[in-house]
Amino acid sequence: MAGVVLPGCECASVPVAGALVRRGVTPAAALAFLLSAPAINPVVLTATAVAFPRNPEMVFARFGASLLVACAMGWLWLRLGRTEWMRPPSRPSFEGQSKGAAFWGSVRHDVMHAGGFLVVGAMAAATLKALVPASWLHAVASLPAVSILALAVLAVLLSICSEADAFVAASLSQFSLTARLAFLVVGPMIDLKLFAMQAGTFGRRFALRFAPTTFVLAVLVSVLVGAVLL
């Protein structure tokens, strides 16, 4: 629920979650925050309401589905996660420095560390965005089951900021509302840049387990919530 009151994009949620783990927060709770903060904060929900003025139920569907996935992944990690899968997030030592110097040193470290992986992920997403023909979207939109999976995969590939993805989803009018809900739920939780940042912060062993599980659960929950609310 802290994700509701702490607006932030998905790029910022990774270093914040890493900082929470370093400060002693249980990893399961930190991971729930990592997934929820960019998906259910007021900025994102307001943008969704503006993008879907004729379908206000999309706001409730996005909030409910995203919160369910975030909590479920936290509980799943609490139940099945292993300490050796997650590399402890690194932190430079600021011993002997003032609080101000330690603060700015920590900011520089997190920005430089996360920024490198963000650039790599953004480059991959931009390349794929240029290579995906628009005709493919029209071809799969007529197949309900395929269209949901297609938009979920597209969300991963495009790596759009969660504060702007609702407008992209609204423009995909050839797809069903449930398929577009999958796009909105998957995107803020797992995409190319997020995978790179999660691997850089928590280690590759963690990312290779966490990202696919999040993707599958996000798609399944989107289908269930879409069937009920949309």
Side-chain angles (χ1 to χ4, degrees):
M1 292 306 297
V4 178
V5 295
L6 295 174
C9 70
E10 58 269 28
C11 305
S13 68
V14 177
V16 171
L20 291 174
V21 173
R22 289 197 304 265
R23 301 282 290 186
V25 174
T26 181
L31 295 176
F33 174 82
L34 183 154
L35 296 176
S36 67
I40 62 174
N41 69 67
V43 176
V44 169
L45 296 178
T46 300
T48 305
V50 173
F52 290 90
R54 297 182 180 179
N55 303 104
E57 64 273 17
M58 282 293 288
V59 179
F60 299 102
R62 181 175 196 177
F63 176 85
S66 298
L67 182 60
L68 282 173
V69 174
C71 291
M73 285 301 298
W75 290 324
L76 194 61
W77 182 265
L78 196 63
R79 178 83 175 177
L80 302 176
R82 298 181 182 177
T83 305
E84 60 267 24
W85 290 349
M86 178 182 286
R87 184 183 67 201
S90 61
R91 182 181 186 274
S93 175
F94 300 107
E95 190 173 343
Q97 299 185 21
S98 66
K99 290 184 178 180
F103 171 79
W104 287 112
S106 181
V107 169
R108 288 194 299 271
H109 172 266
D110 285 345
V111 169
M112 294 301 295
H113 185 260
F117 294 103
L118 175 60
V119 169
V120 172
M123 289 175 60
T127 301
L128 288 166
K129 190 185 302 183
L131 295 178
V132 175
S135 58
W136 289 10
L137 299 180
H138 294 280
V140 300
S142 58
L143 305 172
V146 177
S147 66
I148 293 172
L149 183 60
L151 281 198
V153 172
L154 189 64
V156 175
L157 299 181
L158 294 183
S159 304
I160 302 170
C161 177
S162 61
E163 296 173 359
D165 61 359
F167 299 97
V168 177
S171 70
L172 298 170
S173 56
Q174 65 269 44
F175 288 89
S176 68
L177 288 176
T178 299
R180 285 184 277 178
L181 176 62
F183 180 89
L184 296 176
V185 174
V186 170
M189 296 187 173
I190 177 61
D191 59 28
L192 292 177
K193 64 180 185 300
L194 277 174
F195 178 81
M197 293 175 70
Q198 290 170 6
T201 301
F202 298 110
R204 186 180 301 175
R205 294 180 68 188
F206 166 82
L208 289 174
R209 291 170 171 83
F210 187 75
T213 306
T214 301
F215 177 85
V216 172
L217 189 60
V219 172
L220 292 177
V221 172
S222 297
V223 172
L224 293 175
V225 172
V228 174
L229 296 181
L230 304 178

